[in-house]
Amino acid sequence: DVCSSDLAAVKVLGNIYEDLAYVVKKDRVAYEKVIVDFSKFVRERIEYFEDVAIGNKLTIESDIDLDVFILFNEIELQRICDNNISNAIKYSFENKPLHVRLFTDKEKVIFEVQNSGEMINHPDKLFDRYYREDSARGGFGLGLNIVKEICDANDITIEIDSDEYKTIFRYFFVKG
């Protein structure tokens, strides 16, 4: 039997592997867009990371509007969701809930991930390749750089709202 901490570790490594695989392939692979049920997609990604959250003494709360669809590549969408959820877990204070939201507003679909952790000191540098706000937490500083490249290529606006109580990463997608 695999214990939950082993499963969580495998999922964290899986996320790193998927980032590296994306970096290696991105210039050689055409990432085709399809209509994605973003609501279902986000719920599945939250479910995937629940073991990791529990292992970090966290819970994930979600507020996901139903029937939110976008035209997007699923591999790229997974990089955005997984990197944000895993970072929220990694940088959160223990015993504080994470909040994942998906909703529509006028012509935009908004995906938000919020945690309670230390304030981000250099939001302007977060998306630079190899930059890590806290080098003690592990990782390679690739995840958010990948997210930014995908967002730039798909006209997704990113907002970061961080203070001593919470950090929110907010992504504005064009409606599908």
Side-chain angles (χ1 to χ4, degrees), residues 14-68:
N15 190 52
I16 293 168
Y17 171 82
E18 294 292 341
D19 279 346
L20 293 172
Y22 181 82
V23 169
V24 168
K25 295 177 189 172
K26 71 179 165 92
D27 297 325
R28 297 189 309 237
V29 174
Y31 288 103
E32 302 294 329
K33 293 182 180 185
V34 297
I35 298 290
V36 179
D37 181 342
F38 203 174
S39 307
K40 180 173 177 258
F41 195 92
V42 171
R43 282 194 306 274
E44 288 172 356
R45 300 323 300 154
I46 291 168
E47 193 175 303
Y48 178 83
F49 280 103
E50 278 184 339
D51 299 318
V52 183
I54 290 165
N56 283 269
K57 299 183 176 71
L58 300 167
T59 56
I60 303 175
E61 296 177 357
S62 63
D63 184 7
I64 311 294
D65 282 2
L66 295 174
D67 300 322
V68 176

Side-chain angles (χ1 to χ4, degrees), residues 91 132-139:
Y91 294 105
R132 294 181 308 167
E133 188 85 3
D134 179 354
S135 58
R137 301 286 179 124

